[in-house]
Amino acid sequence: MSKNELQIGMMLRYLGRPFEGFNKLITEVKFLGYDCSGWNSIWIEYLGEQRLVALADIAIDEE
């Protein structure tokens, strides 16, 4: 996925390992921005909480 494809507020699907509070039935997340240390991690909002996840763990939500 190209870093140019993501826009703040875009809805994404989380495909990575479950984290604390993750519900496998709710995979939709909102893109908040890139981490300042590089393009490998992004900030997302999941169920009202901000999380830093690997770019490889998300996909663009086609719905």
Side-chain angles (χ1 to χ4, degrees):
M1 172 181 317
S2 167
K3 64 184 179 187
N4 297 325
E5 292 181 58
L6 300 179
Q7 298 174 5
I8 293 175
M10 180 180 253
M11 299 311 290
L12 306 170
R13 188 151 314 275
Y14 182 75
L15 306 173
R17 276 190 359 205
F19 47 79
E20 185 177 333
F22 182 74
N23 179 341
K24 66 182 180 179
L25 301 176
I26 304 171
T27 60
E28 188 175 71
V29 300
K30 185 183 347 180
F31 176 67
L32 299 177
Y34 290 97
D35 184 46
C36 63
S37 64
W39 301 108
N40 295 325
S41 299
I42 63 169
W43 287 99
I44 60 167
E45 181 179 308
Y46 180 75
L47 299 179
E49 293 187 23
Q50 293 181 1
R51 295 197 162 270
L52 184 66
V53 298
L55 183 60
D57 289 342
I58 59 102
I60 294 176
D61 193 358
E62 300 294 335
E63 294 179 8

